[in-house]
């Protein structure tokens, strides 16, 4: 049985190779459950959530993989924040963010929000979109992972 | 490609909801990616992950009176005001439980009723606001909605000035209560679960009655001046009566009045009433506080707070 599946996979391979470069992107979300053991030690467990409540901390993991046989250039990943989730941070810190629905982009520390007649510094909760301009082109077979945190509003 | 602006000025800010995302909302996340291939730019979408926001059961009860509510022994239908707020994220009914028999206070009021501020004006309107009956008209609150609740009590005759009574109001989410995190499967708004929030889905707060009672002591003294410059009680001697009303206690005596009949064998000296050294007229038709009706003088002292005195004098002549 196992051998049969391998054979089928081998048959399929040439079709994906027809598109010279082909990148796959997946999105996953986990909820961070903090628990304390009998000694008061804190442990954080990532659980696959079906249901969440306001205040829960979510970890979003995006995985990409060049499954083609040629390099994909200028690789950019964009994640619009779900409206019910307040952005917190990315793991790598290299992201650009938008606080106006994806029209303008910048580093969070450079963005300002109009408050009456003045401005305040943008805070993570203002973020509507996050984007990674992956510096390196991604060569055939290479893969990567992008992680960010948010809190259920 | 234009350089990315380093300073962006924007007029949007995200709305804040105290109670959080409404129960039953789907959180959907999809990422997109683009890259350049030989045929030009390629756009791809990730899968979409969906999670459902469960109902968080929370409630906050707050005493809405600015401080102790002053009352008197024997007073009826005394009002303490509370607010009940749905701090959860789903529409929820709350059961209310008043408690007038608290430990550690000086007396227990007698519960009359719990009343919902049906017309929403924040003030108890007897006969207009609906009397609460557990299980019948439990208030149903949307997320962030607040209802005002009045607890009506009678004050017994026994408490003394300065005594305090605690009255507690508790509210419990009808879906359930418990330690935070307790889950009620499938009972949340929007088809999800209901999960007990940080308040335990129940809360209570207390308001206080403070007895502010007052009592009055009246003392009367007399001084005599005879026609010869002495103090003998002979016909023609003038007697000056002094009435001192002393109010004690932390409350205020309202509508206090003193009257004193003219003694036999004396005649009232007309227009001789004074209050705090100021002359009053004998007429009861004018605005001042004094009057003489032919047999007794009377002075309307009005509302006197505890700790104050009022001195009234009048004169008679021995026949």
């Amino acid at each position: 049985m196992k051998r049969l599946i391998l054979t089928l996979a081998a048959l399929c391979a040439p079709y994906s190779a027809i598109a010279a470069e082909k990148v796959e992107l997946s999105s996953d979300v986990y909820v961070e459950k903090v628990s304390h053991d009998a000694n008061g030690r804190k442990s954080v467990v990532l659980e696959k959530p079906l249901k969440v409540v306001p205040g829960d901390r979510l970890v979003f993991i995006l995985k990409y993989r060049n499954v083609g046989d040629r390099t994909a250039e200028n690789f950019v990943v964009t994640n619009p924040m779900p409206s019910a989730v307040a952005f917190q941070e990315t793991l790598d810190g290299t992201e650009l963010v938008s606080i106006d629905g994806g029209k303008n982009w910048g580093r969070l520390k450079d963005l300002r929000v109009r408050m009456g007649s003045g401005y305040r510094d943008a805070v993570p909760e203002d973020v509507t979109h996050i984007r990674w301009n992956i510096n390196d082109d991604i060569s055939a077979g290479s893969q990567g992972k992008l992680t960010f945190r948010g809190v259920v509003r | 490609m234009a350089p990315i602006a380093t300073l962006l000025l924007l007029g949007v800010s995200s709305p804040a909801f105290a109670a959080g995302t409404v129960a039953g909302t789907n959180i959907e996340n999809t990422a997109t990616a683009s890259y350049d291939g030989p045929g030009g730019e390629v756009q791809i979408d990730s899968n979409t992950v969906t999670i459902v926001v469960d109902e968080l059961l929370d409630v906050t009860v707050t005493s809405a009176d600015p401080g102790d509510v002053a009352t008197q022994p024997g007073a009826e239908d005394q009002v303490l005001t509370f607010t009940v707020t749905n701090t959860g994220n789903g529409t929820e009914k709350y059961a209310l439980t008043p408690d007038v028999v608290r430990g550690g206070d000086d007396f227990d009021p007698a519960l009359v009723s719990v009343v919902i501020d049906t017309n929403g004006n924040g003030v108890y309107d007897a006969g207009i606001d609906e009397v609460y009956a557990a299980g019948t008209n439990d208030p149903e609150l949307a997320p962030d909605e607040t209802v005002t609740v009045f607890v009506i009590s009678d004050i017994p005759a026994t408490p003394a000035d300065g005594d305090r009574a605690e009255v507690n109001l508790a509210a419990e989410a009808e879906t359930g209560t418990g330690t935070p995190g307790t889950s009620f499967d499938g009972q949340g708004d929007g088809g999800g679960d209901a999960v007990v929030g940080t308040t335990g889905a129940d809360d209570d707060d207390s308001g206080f009655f403070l007895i502010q009672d007052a009592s009055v002591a009246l003392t009367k003294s007399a001084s005599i001046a005879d026609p010869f410059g002495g103090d003998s009680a002979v016909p023609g001697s003038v007697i000056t009566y002094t009435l001192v009303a002393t109010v004690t206690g932390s409350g205020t005596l309202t509508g206090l009045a003193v009257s004193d009949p003219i003694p036999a064998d004396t005649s009232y000296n007309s227009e001789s009433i004074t209050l705090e050294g100021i002359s009053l007229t004998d007429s009861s038709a004018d605005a001042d506080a004094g009057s003489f009706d032919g047999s007794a003088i009377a002075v309307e002292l009005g509302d006197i707070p505890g700790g104050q005195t009022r001195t009234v004098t009048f004169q008679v002549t021995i026949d």
Side-chain angles (χ1 to χ4, degrees), chain A residues 20-29 49-54 58 60 62 70-82 84-85 96 99-100 104-106 110-114 119-120 125-126 133 148 152-153, chain B residues 1 4-15 17 19-22 25-39 42 44-56 89 186 191-193 195:
Chain A
E21 79 300 310
K22 185 173 190 301
V23 180
E24 287 178 351
L25 180 67
S26 71
S27 160
D28 252 321
V29 60
L50 293 170
K51 313 257 177 66
V52 293
V53 293
L58 303 179
F60 293 85
L62 309 178
R70 285 182 52 179
T71 297
E73 295 171 351
N74 292 329
F75 188 66
V76 176
V77 177
T78 305
N79 198 120
M81 290 303 297
V85 178
L96 295 178
I99 58 174
D100 59 358
N104 297 289
W105 297 86
D110 297 326
L111 302 181
R112 304 281 183 276
V113 175
R114 188 188 294 277
Y119 299 94
R120 66 164 169 81
E125 288 70 24
D126 295 322
N133 294 325
F148 66 96
V152 180
R153 291 186 195 269
Chain B
M1 170 164 162
I4 293 165
T6 54
L7 186 71
L8 296 173
L9 305 176
L10 300 163
V12 291
S13 74
S14 50
F17 299 105
T21 303
V22 172
T25 303
N26 280 340
I27 295 179
E28 297 183 333
N29 192 66
T30 311
T32 61
S34 66
Y35 55 90
D36 294 339
V42 181
I44 55 170
D45 284 346
S46 75
N47 59 306
T48 300
V49 281
T50 303
I51 46 180
V52 180
V53 177
D54 278 340
E55 182 179 357
L56 202 53
N89 65 343
D193 298 341
V195 180

Side-chain angles (χ1 to χ4, degrees), chain B residues 54-90:
Chain B
D54 278 340
E55 182 179 357
L56 202 53
L57 301 170
D58 269 321
V59 64
T60 303
V61 179
T62 307
S63 168
D65 295 308
D68 288 2
V69 172
T71 186
Q72 292 84 39
E76 294 186 339
D77 292 343
Q78 300 294 289
V79 180
L80 291 176
T81 306
F82 297 86
T83 58
V84 178
T85 302
N86 179 0
T87 43
N89 65 343

Side-chain angles (χ1 to χ4, degrees), chain B residues 302-316:
Chain B
D303 299 346
I304 313 294
Q308 293 196 8
T309 62
R310 292 291 184 275
T311 302
V312 171
T313 67
F314 65 96
Q315 292 177 334
V316 299

Side-chain angles (χ1 to χ4, degrees), chain A residues 131-149:
Chain A
R131 167 175 288 179
W132 289 266
N133 294 325
I134 309 293
N135 288 328
D136 297 325
D137 299 336
I138 53 170
S139 57
S142 69
Q143 57 187 313
K145 191 163 91 167
L146 300 165
T147 303
F148 66 96
R149 282 200 173 85

Side-chain angles (χ1 to χ4, degrees), chain B:
Chain B
M1 170 164 162
I4 293 165
T6 54
L7 186 71
L8 296 173
L9 305 176
L10 300 163
V12 291
S13 74
S14 50
F17 299 105
T21 303
V22 172
T25 303
N26 280 340
I27 295 179
E28 297 183 333
N29 192 66
T30 311
T32 61
S34 66
Y35 55 90
D36 294 339
E41 189 179 272
V42 181
Q43 296 247 8
I44 55 170
D45 284 346
S46 75
N47 59 306
T48 300
V49 281
T50 303
I51 46 180
V52 180
V53 177
D54 278 340
E55 182 179 357
L56 202 53
L57 301 170
D58 269 321
V59 64
T60 303
V61 179
T62 307
S63 168
D65 295 308
D68 288 2
V69 172
T71 186
Q72 292 84 39
E76 294 186 339
D77 292 343
Q78 300 294 289
V79 180
L80 291 176
T81 306
F82 297 86
T83 58
V84 178
T85 302
N86 179 0
T87 43
N89 65 343
T91 299
E92 183 69 22
K93 278 188 175 183
Y94 295 94
L96 306 176
T97 309
D99 181 10
V100 295
V101 188
R102 306 290 287 181
D105 58 357
D106 301 315
F107 70 96
D108 293 328
L111 180 70
V112 175
S113 57
V114 175
V115 175
I116 310 288
D117 185 22
T118 319
N119 62 6
N121 67 350
V123 177
Y124 171 55
D125 299 304
I128 296 171
D129 290 333
E130 206 171 283
V131 174
Y132 170 74
T136 303
N137 59 347
D138 294 333
E140 184 175 81
L141 301 179
D144 273 341
E145 189 180 355
T146 294
V147 67
T148 300
V149 177
F150 307 104
V151 177
I152 315 297
S153 329
D154 288 345
I155 308 299
T158 46
D161 185 35
D163 280 359
R164 284 178 98 215
E166 178 181 2
V167 173
N168 185 268
L169 182 70
E172 292 188 346
E174 286 195 343
T175 301
T177 62
T179 53
T182 305
S183 182
F184 300 96
D185 291 351
Q187 294 183 50
D189 266 17
D193 298 341
V195 180
V196 174
T198 50
T199 62
D202 59 0
D203 194 23
D204 66 273
D205 199 14
S206 290
F208 292 87
F209 286 120
L210 174 64
I211 300 293
Q212 288 197 339
D213 203 5
S215 53
V216 63
L218 203 58
T219 57
K220 184 175 180 180
S221 57
S223 64
I224 303 176
D226 64 35
F228 318 107
D231 57 2
S232 307
V234 297
S237 295
V238 173
I239 307 175
T240 300
Y241 288 107
T242 301
L243 303 171
V244 178
T246 302
V247 179
T248 54
S250 60
T252 295
L253 272 187
T254 55
L256 183 62
V258 294
S259 64
D260 200 9
I262 305 304
D265 301 323
T266 68
S267 300
Y268 172 67
N269 290 4
S270 63
E271 307 292 331
S272 66
I273 306 169
T274 70
L275 171 61
E276 300 292 285
I278 296 164
S279 292
L280 302 178
T281 66
D282 290 346
S283 169
S284 60
D286 59 13
D288 82 20
S291 62
F292 174 67
D293 65 1
S295 61
I297 63 98
V299 178
E300 304 285 343
L301 297 175
D303 299 346
I304 313 294
Q308 293 196 8
T309 62
R310 292 291 184 275
T311 302
V312 171
T313 67
F314 65 96
Q315 292 177 334
V316 299
T317 303
I318 297 176
D319 296 338

